[in-house]
Structure formats: structure tokens, C-alpha cells
Amino acid sequence: MEAVMEAGTGRKDLRQARIGPHGHSAHARTAHSMSSSALRKKSDASLVRKVPVAPLRPILANLQEVILGTKLALLFPAVPLAIAAQCAHFGQVWVFALSMIGLVPLAERVSFLTEQIALYTGPTVGGLLNATCGNATELIIALFALMQGKIEVVKCSLLGSVLSNLLLVLGTSLFCGGIKNLGSEQPYDRKQADVSTGLLILGALCQSLPLLLRYAVGAGEHAVAAETTGLELSRACSIVMLLAYVAYLFFQLKTHSQLFEPQEVEDDVEIEETPVLSFGSGFFWLLLMTVLISILSEYIVGTIEPTSKSWGLSVSFISIILLPIVGNAAEHAGAIIFALKNKLDITLGVALGSATQISMFVVPLSVIVAWIAGIQMDLDFKLLETGSLFISVLVTAFTLQVMQMTTVSWLYQLVHGMHKWHKRAALLSRHLEAKLSPEDTLVELKKQLAESQAQAQLSVVDLKKAQDAQI
């Protein structure tokens, strides 16, 4: 009992060490920035010190940290190659492919630079900056497509971002994490997951209202005063979604920031974060990376249709599948890596946080920007797309609800349950082959049932002990 109390006290002390005097994280590290940190590498400062010209050393040090401080540095040449291919009219398909590749390291560097600036500005401003730049790639692509009148590309790319985060990233993370940590505890904060899933359900409901109105009017069940009623309803829902997202940010960054601190796991060592770039350098590089992302995003939007014809793929497929995967490939890989390390809070923060940000911020913001620009964009994502979104959100909420029932790996529970049913099936098969009496078979089944009940009681006791230790 004393060991459990000491362990719980140690976790509390570790958490207090990372929380500032006002209850906020001392370094404002978010799930997005922590996931991208899995792809970073330390730079060798000794090479910069050997440069004979002293004024060049700070510049070279910045270049080394920003360009070479990531494992994705080999993809950076795709950025100038894409610009050169566009200027030389080399081929629209090549411009599209190179721009897609170049977005991968740029998106990861935006996350890194946002974290560096947050180390100077504090948790609140850093959190707001991350809320704005967390999905900068998707936002910029959506705005460029919107300005060119490609509303279908905007809707498909944003819907694909939500679906890829919920199904691909979260599903792969839970599967790989369950295999890697088979039989061990996988703790995570259920309050954070409940808040995110609640916002996702709200976003899905708001996006379904224009669709329901269109089908109701089309079936002759109701009449509307004007043809733009669905568009006006979409704009009203977008305002509600943005207000809800602002309230969520206030809840996350100000009033209940302690709920969004990642849970500690065994052998978890906290490393103090120190900035490697000055505030001015970080801000300059952030602007430069944003400009480069804007240039490549414009190339992608302008060449997506010729690429669709050349590759034999529909524009919807490229927008729903390829663009979301490439746009946040670094964060997605980091989420899976942290799931393998049994840090589900970071994984859920990336997958659910990105999906929530797209659904509750980027989508309604696109509608509002289109409204200002005089473009008629609504929240009607069509029946199949809206149905897919609803099913994905419900499956995610159900999966997390099942995971909340136990701290042991869900894959272990599945394998254990299949093993028990296999034993019972083998017993019945043996009964049929050996022609055992029904009484003997019933006795064996009762023995197995008693063993299962005993194991279940032990699991409940272990779960209570784990909960008491966390408290």
C-alpha cells in the first residue's frame, strides 16, 4: 500500500513540476507538437562552431535547426523542384506530385516553429497559435480552392481530413498500440476524449441540417420561402460552430487546462524543453514556411484536375484520400509512434484534436470566408459523405467508450475472450466425438464458468487498485 501511495505521489509531483503557478503547462506543449517531435533529431552544433566567419554562425545554426533538424529533411528538395517545374512548365502532373511531397516536411516544420514560439509566449498564446496553425495546410488548400471556385475540392478535402484522422490515424494507432502493449495497461484521459467526441457529434449534426432540409423540401414535405434558405441555414450553423469552438478553446486553455495534461505512464521521464531558436527567428521561419505552403497549395489546387485525368483517379478520391494523408503525414506518423510507446493521450490529442479543429473551425470558417467573398458554399456534403462522417464519429465514440471500461489493452481482452470461446467450442466438439454424457459436459462448463468469474473478479480488483493509485 505504501508503494502504491509513493507511486501516486511521484506522479503528482511530476505533473506539478510541469504545470506552472496558474495551472497551465509550463512549456505549453500540445499533442500536435509532441507528436511531431517524434520525427525530430538533434543537430550537431560543433559543425557550426568550426565556421571561421563569426557573423555567419547564427544564420547557419538557424538553417541547421530548421532544415536539418527533422528526419524528413530529405524531402525538402521537392519544394524548389516543384517551383522550378511550375516556372519551366515542365508538366502539371510533376508539379502536383512534387508539391504534395514538399508539403510533408513543411507541415512538420510549422508544428516545430509553433512550439518554439509558444516557449516564449506562454501556454495561452501558444495554444491559440497552435489552434490556428495546427491544420494550416488543410486551411490554406481550402482557401485557395475556394477562391478558384472549386467548392467540391474544399468539401472533399476537409471531409477527408476528418475521416483520415478518425479512421486511419486513430484506428492504426489503437491497433499497433494494442499489439505492442499486449496485456499491459493503456491509460488515457476519458474527459479529454469525451469533450472531443461531443464536439465532433455537434459538428456532424450541424453539417446534416442543410442536407435534411434539402431532402425534406425535395420530397414535398415542407416548403421554404426562398431558394437560399439552405445556404442561410449553413451560415447560421457555421456561426454556431465557430462560437462552440471558441468556447472549447477557452475551456481547454483557461478554465480546465489541467484536464488536457497527458497522463504519466511508468518509466516516463520528463525532459525540460528549451528553445533552440530566438523569438524573431522562429516568427520569421514560420512566415516563410507558411508562404511556401501557400505556393505549393496553389500549385496543387491548380493541377488537381489534370492530375486526376492523367492518373485515372477522380478529383473526389484525390481530395478525400491523398490530400489529407500528405498534409499531416508527420503528425500522423508521430501519433502512431506515441501509441506504440503507450502514450494514448498524445495519440488521442492528435487524432481527435485535428478532427475537431477541421470540423468545428476550418469547415465553418470556409463557409464564412465564402460568404464574405460572395461565393455560395453551404454545409451540404451530400448523403454519402455526411453518412460516412456520422458513422465514423459514432464508431469512434463507441470504441473509446469500450476502452474506458478497462485499462488493459483492448486487443488483449479480445484475444482472451476468443481463447475462452475456443476452449468451450473444443469441449463441445470433444463431447460430440467421444459421446460424453451431458452431465459430464455440464460439469466441465460449470468449471470453466467458475474460472472465468474468478478471473473477472481479480480483474475488477486490479482495476480498482489502479484507479486508487491514479487518484
Side-chain angles (χ1 to χ4, degrees), residues 112-438:
F112 163 73
L113 295 170
T114 303
E115 180 185 356
Q116 291 295 307
I117 295 176
L119 294 175
Y120 293 98
T121 59
T124 303
V125 178
L128 291 174
L129 187 62
N130 181 266
T132 306
C133 302
N135 294 93
T137 305
E138 290 89 343
L139 178 59
I140 294 174
I141 291 177
L143 293 179
F144 272 106
L146 190 63
M147 292 299 105
Q148 297 184 18
K150 300 179 180 180
I151 299 178
E152 200 65 26
V153 175
V154 178
K155 292 182 178 181
C156 290
S157 63
L158 297 181
L159 175 68
S161 297
V162 178
L163 295 181
S164 65
N165 278 289
L166 295 182
L167 301 180
L168 177 64
V169 179
L170 185 59
T172 305
S173 299
L174 294 180
F175 181 77
C176 296
I179 292 178
K180 179 66 165 36
N181 303 284
L182 193 65
S184 61
E185 293 185 358
Q186 290 184 292
Y188 74 97
D189 188 3
R190 58 177 296 176
K191 300 182 182 65
Q192 179 181 355
D194 290 343
V195 171
S196 298
T197 52
L199 285 173
L200 287 173
I201 293 175
L202 175 61
L205 289 174
C206 290
Q207 294 175 31
S208 65
L209 289 180
L211 175 68
L212 296 176
L213 177 64
R214 178 166 63 86
Y215 273 91
V217 174
E221 299 177 356
H222 298 276
V224 293
E227 295 181 356
T228 59
T229 303
L231 182 62
E232 294 173 356
L233 178 61
S234 298
R235 292 168 177 172
C237 290
S238 298
I239 295 175
V240 172
M241 294 165 70
L242 286 176
L243 292 177
Y245 186 72
V246 171
Y248 162 70
L249 290 180
F250 187 76
F251 176 84
Q252 178 185 12
L253 301 175
K254 196 70 177 176
T255 60
H256 294 75
S257 60
Q258 69 278 2
L259 299 180
F260 295 86
E261 288 291 332
Q263 290 189 6
E264 305 296 338
V265 296
E266 294 182 1
D267 300 330
D268 190 12
V269 179
E270 182 70 15
I271 301 176
E272 184 179 357
E273 278 292 310
T274 56
V276 295
L277 298 175
S278 64
F279 178 80
S281 298
F283 193 75
F284 168 77
W285 283 108
L286 181 61
L287 290 178
L288 180 60
M289 295 297 174
T290 305
V291 171
L292 292 177
I293 290 176
S294 302
I295 295 174
L296 297 186
S297 299
E298 186 178 7
Y299 293 167
I300 288 175
V301 173
T303 59
I304 188 172
E305 293 175 351
T307 304
S308 171
K309 296 178 182 179
S310 177
W311 290 356
L313 301 174
S314 64
V315 176
S316 300
F317 179 85
I318 295 177
S319 302
I320 294 177
I321 304 299
L322 296 183
L323 290 183
I325 294 177
V326 173
N328 274 329
E331 288 185 357
H332 295 171
I336 298 174
I337 292 174
F338 276 103
L340 295 174
K341 295 180 180 179
N342 202 15
K343 297 182 179 181
L344 286 185
D345 272 341
I346 301 176
T347 300
L348 293 176
V350 172
L352 296 181
S354 295
T356 303
Q357 193 175 65
I358 294 293
S359 180
M360 297 296 294
F361 176 67
V362 181
V363 171
L365 182 63
S366 301
V367 175
I368 299 300
V369 172
W371 185 10
I372 297 173
I375 302 173
Q376 294 187 353
M377 176 182 172
D378 54 19
L379 292 177
D380 188 354
F381 281 65
K382 298 182 181 179
L383 181 60
L384 179 61
E385 288 81 354
T386 306
S388 301
L389 176 62
F390 245 115
I391 294 174
S392 301
V393 173
L394 292 179
V395 168
T396 302
F398 177 76
T399 303
L400 295 177
Q401 194 70 25
V402 171
M403 290 178 60
Q404 289 172 5
M405 298 172 60
T406 176
T407 58
V408 183
S409 169
W410 65 272
L411 191 60
Y412 172 78
Q413 297 290 332
L414 177 62
V415 173
H416 185 62
M418 292 176 62
H419 177 66
K420 290 192 297 184
W421 283 108
H422 175 72
K423 289 174 62 178
R424 294 174 184 175
L427 178 61
L428 292 176
S429 176
R430 188 175 61 183
H431 161 69
L432 294 177
E433 292 178 358
K435 297 182 180 180
L436 297 176
S437 63

